[in-house]
Amino acid sequence: MPPPPAAGPAGEPDFTLAPAEEAAPATLPDYPVQGPPVEGPGVQGPPVQGPPVPPPSPPPPLPPSATHEQPPPGVPGAPVAPGGPVVPGAPDVPGAPDVPGAPDVPGVPGAPGTPAAPDPRAADPRVTLDDSPMETASCVACGTGAVDGDGYCDHCGHKQPRERDHMESTLPSVAAASDRGLRHHRNEDFFSLYEAVTPAGAPATIAVVCDGVSSATRPDDASAAAARAAGASMRDSVPQGAPAQQAMHNALVVAAEAVTALAAEGPNEPSKNAPACTIVGALTAEGILTVGWIGDSRAYWVPDEQGAPPARLTEDDSWAAQMVAAGLMTEDEAYADARAHAITGWLGADAYEVEPHTASYKPEGTGVVIVCTDGLWNYAESAEQMAAVVPGDGRTRPLHAAQRLVGFALDGGGHDNATVAVIPFPSPSEGAVTD
């Protein structure tokens, strides 16, 4: 087990963690930990400030598929690439075709030839993968014109909203919200929420958030396939007794396979790379918080106690993170660069070798876990900034908190799709949540 690294720079306090009891898969990489280590063979939690420092040399050039469309707010000159065609029928579970009339969130498969039954443990974002315009009797803008097959008003020409433009879902122990933002023509983010029960009878809460890579083909399908596959994987494995980190690791691998399968299904745009997305997930059960990620979507811990330090629980797979880790730039300099959001890890057929990151924590006290895409954290990057914008009643009103956080991103400029899941910790098993 490597020794804990030195404390981070001023303004980003250490995240003090009590040891987690659970063992982790020995095949995963080691990470140093700030504060007391998280026990488990071969795996430690990630540092709050950065991964192990590599030799101070620039990273290799990234393929076109590894770049997000939108740099952080305030960086000029970043063109918005036109989106690819939206393709209907991406499967909820890899290899499983869509069934007309089936619920949007995957449930337990039904008998052959019958639609899948709704899963009471899953929250339905109320979306369809074809992302077609919402059916309206008349234009939502002028109120008089008819809407054509492409979703435009034949009177004023206004584009009608799509069902994925804004999504909200809630379960007793978690809530999420997602919005298209003010600059993008569609929402390429997606999320899935599940609840399960461990073999010991303890409640488990699962949230997965994915961000489609805009320079790839069908990024909206990629994010939906990954979020649904990862969430369903943990929903099924946790009740079977899988250790939390192993369940998270396996879920990330299953999500990668689901996105890779989209490339084989087609159709794909010759001018773009294969479908791709980033992913971050959180699993809470039996007093342990486990996170997993690939890419630059993030998880944060925001404690309820006044004065207790918040923490960022994930470390980006991105150009900016590499520059900071190599000591070539400060964090402010790196994230102000137009290349900041070039990702070095993602899900997709043309990704480098997939390396899931996982970590388990045992936070002291109560609080909320924030799981989000860069469309939110662009406006609240540090743990302190994120904690400052999370409503004080977030643990008892998670849906309200998610709505407020998405609204905060829109008020900041809405440069990207913004998606966030809010998980009260510990789980409110006796009705503490009021949303």
Side-chain angles (χ1 to χ4, degrees), residues 249 252-253 256-257 260 294 345-348 351-357:
H249 180 272
L252 297 178
V253 172
E257 293 171 349
T260 298
I294 299 172
W346 65 93
L347 308 181
Y352 300 133
E353 182 178 357
V354 174
E355 297 181 3
H357 311 293

Side-chain angles (χ1 to χ4, degrees), residues 72-403:
V75 178
V80 178
V86 181
V87 178
D92 293 342
V93 178
D98 284 344
V99 179
D104 295 328
V105 171
V108 180
T114 62
D119 188 340
R121 299 167 295 175
D124 182 359
R126 298 190 178 94
V127 303
T128 54
L129 283 183
D130 63 9
D131 201 22
S132 58
M134 298 175 62
E135 294 183 4
T136 56
S138 60
C139 175
V140 297
C142 68
T144 58
V147 179
D148 64 21
D150 292 326
Y152 291 91
C153 174
D154 61 7
H155 176 70
C156 68
H158 186 85
K159 179 72 171 179
Q160 305 305 292
R162 298 173 183 269
E163 291 189 42
R164 277 183 70 160
D165 283 356
H166 186 86
M167 303 179 289
E168 295 179 359
S169 291
T170 184
L171 291 173
S173 63
V174 59
S178 179
D179 195 272
R180 177 174 60 90
L182 305 178
R183 303 291 185 88
H184 284 234
H185 72 286
R186 66 181 174 188
N187 190 355
E188 296 168 356
D189 289 357
F190 203 83
F191 64 85
S192 67
L193 309 176
Y194 288 93
E195 291 178 329
V197 178
T198 69
T205 301
I206 299 160
V208 180
V209 170
C210 295
D211 183 358
V213 177
S214 297
S215 60
T217 300
R218 300 160 58 200
D220 50 340
D221 287 352
S223 62
R228 288 172 165 171
S233 174
M234 285 186 278
R235 174 203 64 195
D236 294 339
S237 62
V238 168
Q240 295 174 3
Q245 280 189 268
Q246 185 66 63
M248 180 66 72
H249 180 272
N250 292 347
L252 297 178
V253 172
V254 168
E257 293 171 349
V259 178
T260 298
L262 293 178
E265 295 170 4
N268 298 313
E269 296 177 73
S271 61
K272 291 190 174 184
N273 295 93
C277 69
T278 67
I279 186 171
V280 61
L283 166 64
T284 63
E286 300 178 343
I288 303 297
L289 161 60
T290 299
V291 295
W293 73 97
I294 299 172
D296 65 351
S297 295
R298 293 182 177 180
Y300 294 83
W301 165 251
V302 178
D304 287 337
E305 182 183 350
Q306 189 74 19
R312 197 175 94 198
L313 306 177
T314 58
E315 193 61 43
D316 299 345
D317 292 319
S318 71
W319 179 91
Q322 285 194 345
M323 293 297 99
V324 174
L328 300 177
M329 288 184 172
T330 66
E331 191 165 7
D332 288 342
E333 291 171 340
Y335 283 101
D337 193 287
R339 298 166 290 181
H341 287 243
I343 55 176
T344 57
W346 65 93
L347 308 181
D350 59 354
Y352 300 133
E353 182 178 357
V354 174
E355 297 181 3
H357 311 293
T358 66
S360 285
Y361 303 93
K362 190 173 184 179
E364 298 179 356
T366 61
V368 294
V369 183
I370 303 298
V371 185
C372 64
T373 62
D374 59 349
L376 171 60
W377 67 252
N378 273 335
Y379 302 99
E381 184 179 326
S382 71
E384 290 76 18
Q385 291 171 327
M386 183 63 71
V389 297
V390 173
D393 59 356
R395 195 170 72 86
T396 57
R397 302 179 64 196
L399 179 58
H400 174 256
Q403 294 166 336

